[in-house]
């Protein structure tokens, strides 16, 4: 079937799953029909010709350009790549087609974790390699997507953190209050290459594609002047890494789901929600056995079973902290808070935006702060109002301290500040401050109006 004919197909009607995200210049109607009817058993033999096709590389280039990103070890920026776009794309096409393409080393950089002194390693491939990896992803993602379990939410089309959190919330409300909160120790750094490639071969039998995927896994790393090739793991920052991580853990998803466990996984972060302590303990043993068989390890101090039938029971997942409190009537209620690590991150960001001294006007500062906090609120809008009140107070205190420094005012008598009298909450509201508490109240009122 031609590509022109495939464009006339209503792909969303082929299956209950939405396939509108698939790159249509690659996946013809006939291929998609094969995917949705025999995808879970289908082995794909000839895909490399679709990877190196000019249309695929053009689509990949558009996505890489939209994501921007820093240059790799060759110093090539996206803007420079576009200045001679036709030449670069033609060269990449030819190298992929004649199998002479070799990915350059990944530039290793270290970024500080917000709210912490720890550094996180991040790999930055060059622009050409990001385009090549995106081309492979456009071709391969549908092949594996059809096999992925519904409990997996991370880095999948049409899925998000909010979807995973919504599923956790529904299971907790349904009574699954014993939670296996597990952490895979250094998953992306310790992922076994041979196990991963064996799982890829279950769906892909194109030797050239397999060879290039193996090259991406063995892609050299340049850290300052030190170079090495990894024996295990997949670099964080690589375009293809999230897909390969899901391929590796897909067997884990099915392993638990087929045994009746309620698993919710986002990349390497997952929780198992159970109806009894015995089920949770049994589930944890199964997870430990699977991890050991697959050469992975659970973090000894970050893995535990939480009992949310008891006051004080809690666990954290995707930035939220789920905790039970007992009220005055003796009733145990479930609450959602912002996780402690997430609070540290946002406060670290606010310290950057509102330093002790700042040369810009209050309006300019608030514009930057509001932009950041609107994005934060969009994700954490369902957290407890206490978190929003506390963070509102934190922001206003920093703003008042900045204004005190700027006006050279002193603290009140006895060392007790009276900044809240000089600059009350209404002062900041009049200057356009985005209040988290007000935004949450408005959201709650809106939700009540739709019920």
């Amino acid at each position: 079937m031609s590509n022109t004919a495939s464009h006339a197909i209503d792909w969303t009607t082929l299956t209950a799953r939405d396939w509108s995200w698939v790159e249509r210049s690659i996946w013809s109607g006939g291929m998609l029909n094969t995917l949705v009817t025999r995808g879970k058993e289908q082995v794909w033999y000839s895909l490399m010709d679709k990877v190196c096709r000019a249309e695929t590389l053009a689509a990949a280039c558009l996505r890489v350009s939209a994501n921007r990103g820093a240059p790799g070890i060759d110093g090539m920026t996206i803007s420079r790549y576009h200045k001679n776009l036709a030449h670069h794309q033609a060269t990449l096409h030819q190298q992929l087609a004649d199998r002479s393409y070799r990915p350059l080393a990944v530039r290793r950089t270290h970024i500080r974790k917000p709210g912490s002194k720890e550094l996180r390693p991040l790999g930055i491939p060059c622009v050409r390699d990001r385009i090549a990896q995106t081309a492979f992803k456009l071709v391969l993602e549908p092949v594996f997507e059809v096999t992925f379990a519904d409990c997996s939410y991370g880095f999948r089309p049409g899925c998000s953190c909010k979807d995973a959190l919504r599923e956790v919330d529904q299971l907790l409300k349904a009574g699954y209050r014993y939670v296996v909160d597990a952490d895979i120790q250094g998953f992306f750094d310790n992922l076994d290459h041979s196990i991963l490639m064996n799982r890829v071969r279950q769906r892909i039998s194109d030797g050239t594609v397999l060879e290039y995927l193996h090259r991406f896994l063995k892609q050299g790393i340049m850290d300052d002047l030190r170079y090495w090739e990894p024996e295990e793991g997949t670099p964080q920052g690589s375009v293809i890494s999230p897909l390969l991580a899901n391929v590796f853990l897909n067997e884990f998803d099915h392993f638990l789901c087929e045994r009746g466990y309620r698993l919710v996984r986002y990349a390497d972060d997952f929780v198992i929600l159970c109806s009894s302590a015995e089920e949770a303990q049994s589930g944890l043993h199964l997870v430990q056995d699977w991890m050991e068989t697959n050469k992975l390890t659970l973090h000894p101090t970050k893995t535990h079973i939480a009992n949310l039938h008891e006051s004080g029971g809690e666990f954290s997942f995707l930035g939220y902290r789920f905790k039970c409190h007992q009220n005055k009537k003796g009733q145990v209620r479930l609450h959602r808070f912002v996780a402690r690590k997430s609070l540290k991150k946002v406060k670290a960001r606010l310290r950057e935006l509102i330093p002790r001294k700042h040369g810009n006007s209050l309006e300019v500062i608030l514009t930057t702060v509001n932009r950041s906090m609107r994005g934060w609120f969009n994700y954490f809008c369902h957290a407890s109002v206490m978190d929003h009140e506390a963070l509102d107070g934190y922001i206003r205190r920093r703003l008042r301290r900045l204004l005190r420094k700027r006006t050279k005012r002193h603290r009140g008598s006895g060392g007790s500040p009276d900044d809240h009298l000089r600059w009350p909450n209404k002062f900041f509201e009049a200057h356009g401050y985005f209040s988290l508490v007000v935004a949450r109240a408005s959201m709650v009122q809106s939700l009540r109006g739709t019920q």
Side-chain angles (χ1 to χ4, degrees):
M1 185 177 292
S2 68
N3 288 334
T4 303
S6 70
H7 289 177
I9 294 174
D10 182 4
W11 289 16
T12 59
T13 64
L14 291 174
T15 176
R17 183 173 294 182
D18 178 15
W19 290 98
S20 59
W21 54 271
V22 173
E23 179 57 47
R24 301 192 181 192
S25 65
I26 301 170
W27 285 87
S28 66
M31 286 179 65
L32 190 69
N33 271 309
T34 301
L35 184 71
V36 299
T37 55
R38 302 200 307 271
K40 292 184 179 181
E41 296 79 27
Q42 177 73 21
V43 178
W44 298 83
Y45 292 91
S46 181
L47 293 173
M48 191 60 205
D49 61 315
K50 296 169 179 60
V51 172
C52 62
R53 191 187 298 166
E55 294 87 346
T56 305
L57 295 177
C61 185
L62 283 175
R63 300 196 184 199
V64 170
S65 300
N67 291 333
R68 300 181 182 275
I73 63 167
D74 61 351
M76 176 72 72
T77 62
I78 290 173
S79 59
R80 280 181 56 203
Y81 190 91
H82 275 270
K83 287 180 180 178
N84 202 1
L85 181 62
H87 169 73
H88 290 310
Q89 290 288 86
T91 301
L92 181 57
H93 161 75
Q94 186 59 44
Q95 290 177 343
L96 287 168
D98 63 20
R99 299 175 64 173
S100 63
Y101 167 76
R102 298 290 185 276
L104 297 177
V106 172
R107 179 168 68 86
R108 170 70 62 89
T109 186
H110 299 270
I111 58 174
R112 188 174 297 280
K113 294 182 179 180
S116 170
K117 294 182 178 180
E118 293 183 51
L119 296 176
R120 174 186 290 120
L122 184 68
I124 304 177
C126 66
V127 173
R128 180 199 67 156
D129 292 341
R130 296 207 294 270
I131 293 172
Q133 288 192 16
T134 302
F136 277 95
K137 184 173 180 286
L138 291 174
V139 173
L140 298 180
E141 189 169 31
V143 171
F144 294 106
E145 178 63 29
V146 75
T147 71
F148 289 160
D150 292 337
C151 62
S152 168
Y153 294 88
F155 305 107
R156 294 184 59 192
C159 296
S160 68
C161 289
K162 288 187 176 182
D163 295 321
L165 290 165
R166 191 177 297 113
E167 178 67 12
V168 168
D169 191 58
Q170 291 174 354
L171 288 169
L172 289 170
K173 290 176 179 176
Y176 297 94
R177 295 287 184 95
Y178 293 90
V179 182
V180 179
D181 182 12
D183 181 271
I184 306 176
Q185 193 164 358
F187 171 73
F188 283 94
D189 293 331
N190 297 312
L191 181 150
D192 186 90
H193 290 174
S194 60
I195 295 176
L196 171 61
M197 291 306 298
N198 285 336
R199 287 177 187 159
V200 172
R201 290 188 189 95
Q202 293 174 10
R203 297 286 171 258
I204 306 296
S205 192
D206 186 316
T208 306
V209 170
L210 293 171
E211 178 187 339
Y212 276 123
L213 290 180
H214 191 259
R215 287 181 187 175
F216 289 136
L217 290 173
K218 296 293 185 182
Q219 201 166 352
I221 296 175
M222 183 69 76
D223 192 345
D224 288 332
L225 298 178
R226 191 165 66 96
Y227 172 88
W228 78 94
E229 293 183 1
E231 295 299 321
E232 56 189 12
T234 178
Q236 296 187 56
S238 163
V239 176
I240 204 76
S241 285
L243 175 61
L244 295 178
N246 276 333
V247 171
F248 191 98
L249 290 173
N250 186 42
E251 184 181 293
F252 172 71
D253 299 338
H254 289 286
F255 172 78
L256 285 180
C257 292
E258 288 167 2
R259 286 160 177 76
Y261 287 92
R262 284 88 183 166
L263 169 70
V264 181
R265 181 177 67 81
Y266 192 96
D268 61 331
D269 196 2
F270 68 90
V271 289
I272 306 168
L273 296 100
C274 305
S275 57
S276 69
E278 293 76 19
E279 182 186 5
Q281 194 62 54
S282 176
L284 179 55
H285 288 318
L286 282 174
V287 171
Q288 289 170 331
D289 290 343
W290 191 93
M291 293 295 166
E292 184 178 347
T293 301
N294 289 271
K295 300 182 181 181
L296 293 172
T297 307
L298 293 181
H299 198 291
T301 61
K302 295 181 180 180
T303 300
H304 73 290
I305 295 175
N307 178 5
L308 273 76
H309 284 288
E310 297 180 349
S311 180
E314 66 173 73
F315 72 95
S316 296
F317 185 59
L318 298 181
Y320 274 84
R321 181 165 58 99
F322 297 84
K323 184 172 183 177
C324 279
H325 283 289
Q326 186 172 343
N327 61 22
K328 294 180 180 179
K329 296 180 180 180
Q331 299 169 317
V332 176
R333 300 292 188 186
L334 177 66
H335 299 274
R336 285 170 295 190
F337 298 92
V338 180
R340 296 180 182 88
K341 186 184 292 186
S342 299
L343 282 175
K344 288 181 67 176
K345 287 181 180 180
V346 70
K347 287 183 177 181
R349 175 60 177 155
L350 287 168
R351 285 194 292 272
E352 293 176 358
L353 297 178
I354 318 172
R356 291 177 181 270
K357 295 182 180 180
H358 202 301
N360 287 328
S361 67
L362 179 62
E363 285 75 13
V364 171
I365 296 170
L366 284 176
T367 298
T368 308
V369 171
N370 288 347
R371 186 185 305 118
S372 180
M373 295 315 297
R374 282 193 177 96
W376 186 91
F377 177 78
N378 184 51
Y379 186 77
F380 287 105
C381 57
H382 296 291
S384 169
V385 67
M386 292 186 290
D387 284 330
H388 295 99
E389 289 173 346
L391 203 53
D392 263 343
Y394 181 81
I395 294 170
R396 292 191 184 105
R397 284 195 300 275
R398 293 200 66 84
L399 289 170
R400 287 175 181 129
R401 183 169 60 181
L402 176 66
L403 292 172
R404 187 193 331 126
K405 291 276 187 183
R406 183 172 293 179
T407 57
K408 298 183 179 179
R409 290 179 179 268
H410 299 287
R411 289 177 177 269
S413 61
S416 176
D418 57 358
D419 294 343
H420 65 287
L421 299 177
R422 298 168 181 159
W423 301 289
N425 293 353
K426 289 184 178 180
F427 170 82
F428 297 109
E429 291 174 9
H431 283 77
Y433 172 66
F434 173 75
S435 168
L436 298 169
V437 172
V438 172
R440 191 182 190 282
S442 177
M443 180 199 72
V444 172
Q445 186 65 31
S446 177
L447 290 175
R448 286 174 179 169
T450 60
Q451 292 177 352

